[in-house]
């Protein structure tokens, strides 16, 4: 199966959101990656619920929402109402992660858990059968356009092993510094989905760049 490509709207032109959403609709991308930052969990503020709602009005593909916020459990219902299809929370931001996963599912969304670069994959052992997606961060979250952290490829392989060993159906997504070179390495390590922001939106032909990522094969 070909890799899932999820372009990060953090790098789109915020003055032309509808245009960029339609560009993704008409590309070979699979999902929209939506980065929500609160200036508390991460040292940056991106955008929030009204912007997700506005994008959802035009989007024809699933909204893959990545919450980089403190206490995400409080906002699960709001993100469901705003149009999230997949809701990913950070392991590091959840005191009661199992409860938050249940909360996400009870609102009809798929549940993902993101791991910062320093967080061990095996910490997911007791929830891996409950979740739909593991998000391996290949940069420290907070900003687009950062340099890929090579250890992420090892973590992808570890996540894949854990998933197979435990009989989980979760997919492994990677986020940060993804381009054709790092993307290929990640796929070789077992990644099912790639997020790419600056590599897509800063390229001369974003639809071709998406197609190039989509065509990556082991
Ligand atoms: C970073 C975000 C990423 C970001 C990726 O905290 O989670 O989704 O948009 O940007 P690039 O692909 O430019 O590293
Ligand atoms: Zn992200």
């Amino acid at each position: 199966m070909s890799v899932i490509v999820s372009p990060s709207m953090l790098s789109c032109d915020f003055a032309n959101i509808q245009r960029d959403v339609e560009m993704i609709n008409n590309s070979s991308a699979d999902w929209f990656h939506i980065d929500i930052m609160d200036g508390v969990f991460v040292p940056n503020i991106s955008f929030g619920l009204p912007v997700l709602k506005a994008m959802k009005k035009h989007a024809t593909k699933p909204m893959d929402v990545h919450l980089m916020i403190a206490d995400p459990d409080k906002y699960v219902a709001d993100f469901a109402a705003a149009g999230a299809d997949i809701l990913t929370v950070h392991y590091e931001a959840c005191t009661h992660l199992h409860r938050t996963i249940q909360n996400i599912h009870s609102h009809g969304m798929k549940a993902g858990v993101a791991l910062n670069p320093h967080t061990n994959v095996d910490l997911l052992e007791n929830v891996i059968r409950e979740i739909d997606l593991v998000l391996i961060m290949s940069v420290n979250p907070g900003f687009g356009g950062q340099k890929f952290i090579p250890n992420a490829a090892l973590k992808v392989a570890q996540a894949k092993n854990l998933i197979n060993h435990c009989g989980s159906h979760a997919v492994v997504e990677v986020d940060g510094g993804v381009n054709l070179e790092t993307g290929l390495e990640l796929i070789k390590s077992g990644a099912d989905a790639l997020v790419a922001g600056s590599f897509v939106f800063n390229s001369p032909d974003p639809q071709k760049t998406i197609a190039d990522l989509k065509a990556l094969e082991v």
Side-chain angles (χ1 to χ4, degrees):
M1 215 183 70
S2 67
V3 71
I4 293 166
V5 176
S6 191
S8 169
M9 298 306 283
L10 185 65
S11 292
C12 83
D13 178 355
F14 292 148
N16 288 287
I17 288 180
Q18 183 178 351
R19 182 199 67 191
D20 284 354
V21 167
E22 281 164 1
M23 182 276 288
I24 303 294
N25 285 342
N26 297 322
S27 76
S28 48
D30 298 276
W31 299 340
F32 286 86
H33 187 80
I34 310 293
D35 289 303
I36 309 289
M37 305 177 183
D38 66 352
V40 177
F41 179 69
V42 287
N44 193 14
I45 298 174
S46 57
F47 51 79
L49 290 156
V51 174
L52 169 61
K53 228 183 231 169
M55 290 179 178
K56 180 74 176 182
K57 254 196 346 216
H58 303 288
T60 58
K61 298 175 181 185
M63 304 308 256
D64 163 33
V65 178
H66 176 194
L67 294 186
M68 286 161 274
I69 65 175
D71 207 358
D73 204 59
K74 278 207 300 219
Y75 299 96
V76 167
D78 294 330
F79 279 98
D85 296 286
I86 304 163
L87 196 64
T88 295
V89 295
H90 266 264
Y91 176 86
E92 303 83 6
C94 296
T95 309
H96 299 285
L97 181 61
H98 189 275
R99 178 183 290 153
T100 301
I101 292 163
Q102 286 181 319
N103 191 11
I104 294 170
H105 283 150
S106 77
H107 285 86
M109 296 177 288
K110 294 204 160 152
V113 179
L115 300 179
N116 276 339
H118 73 277
T119 303
N120 284 356
V121 169
D122 60 14
L123 291 168
L124 293 180
E125 189 177 342
N126 292 299
V127 291
I128 196 73
R129 288 177 207 80
E130 320 284 333
I131 63 181
D132 306 291
L133 183 145
V134 175
L135 180 56
I136 303 291
M137 291 307 300
S138 40
V139 296
N140 285 295
F143 304 91
Q146 301 182 82
K147 202 170 170 296
F148 181 76
I149 299 171
N151 189 57
L154 177 67
K155 290 179 73 179
V156 168
Q158 291 170 344
K160 214 61 197 181
N161 277 342
L162 182 66
I163 286 165
N164 292 337
H165 181 73
C166 297
S168 161
H169 66 270
V171 296
V172 178
E173 184 177 44
V174 191
D175 186 5
V178 170
N179 55 35
L180 290 177
E181 193 185 327
T182 56
L184 180 62
E185 191 191 341
L186 292 165
I187 291 175
K188 282 186 184 158
S189 306
D192 304 295
L194 300 175
V195 175
S198 51
F199 183 61
V200 167
F201 284 96
N202 295 349
S203 73
D205 183 349
Q207 289 182 332
K208 180 178 180 301
T209 304
I210 291 168
D212 290 345
L213 285 167
K214 188 77 194 158
L216 284 177
E217 270 178 65
V218 184

